[in-house]
Amino acid sequence: MPETIQPAALRTDGVLQLPLPALSLLSDLQRRGACCAWCRTTLTAETAVDAGERPAVDGGQLFPRGCRKCAGRAAYQLLWEHSRACDVCRTDPTCPVSVAATRLMQEAEL
Ligand SMILES: [Zn+2]
Ligand SMILES: [Zn+2]
């Protein structure tokens, strides 16, 4: 069976690489994860959800984080796009990407 899980979607530590707003829309605070990558709410260690460190296309490094609500919405978007392309999800409800995204959606209480 071909490997269809996008390797970038789920890191080995279980953190999802959530889909982010366009890089040009992110402030320095958002790039560092000091405030939510989507709604710009200031984050604390208790409220922040890791959105997946990644290199930025402009050469920098992103450490994006989000509030629970926004991360949940991003997880929903990721799951929607992922599940249509993933052969594992078709037959196996325990696809790790799906499980991780569903957990974020539940934590957001969407
Ligand atoms: Zn937010
Ligand atoms: Zn899947």
Side-chain angles (χ1 to χ4, degrees), residues 3-94:
E3 181 62 67
T4 52
I5 298 175
Q6 294 147 359
L10 185 67
R11 297 197 321 222
T12 50
D13 59 5
V15 174
L16 279 174
Q17 305 272 55
L18 294 173
L20 293 173
L23 194 59
S24 59
L25 299 176
L26 296 180
S27 69
D28 281 348
L29 288 174
Q30 288 174 307
R31 286 167 174 249
R32 294 207 307 267
C35 60
C36 176
W38 295 274
C39 73
R40 303 185 177 219
T41 295
T42 302
L43 297 169
T44 67
E46 289 83 56
T47 60
V49 176
D50 193 343
E53 180 188 341
R54 71 198 75 183
V57 286
D58 63 5
Q61 188 77 358
L62 296 176
F63 302 91
R65 301 195 299 172
C67 67
R68 281 185 205 282
K69 277 260 181 298
C70 292
R73 280 195 207 105
Y76 180 84
Q77 184 190 339
L78 180 147
L79 182 59
W80 169 249
E81 286 165 11
H82 167 85
S83 61
R84 289 184 303 170
C86 175
D87 283 342
V88 179
C89 284
R90 266 185 250 283
T91 55
D92 183 358
T94 65

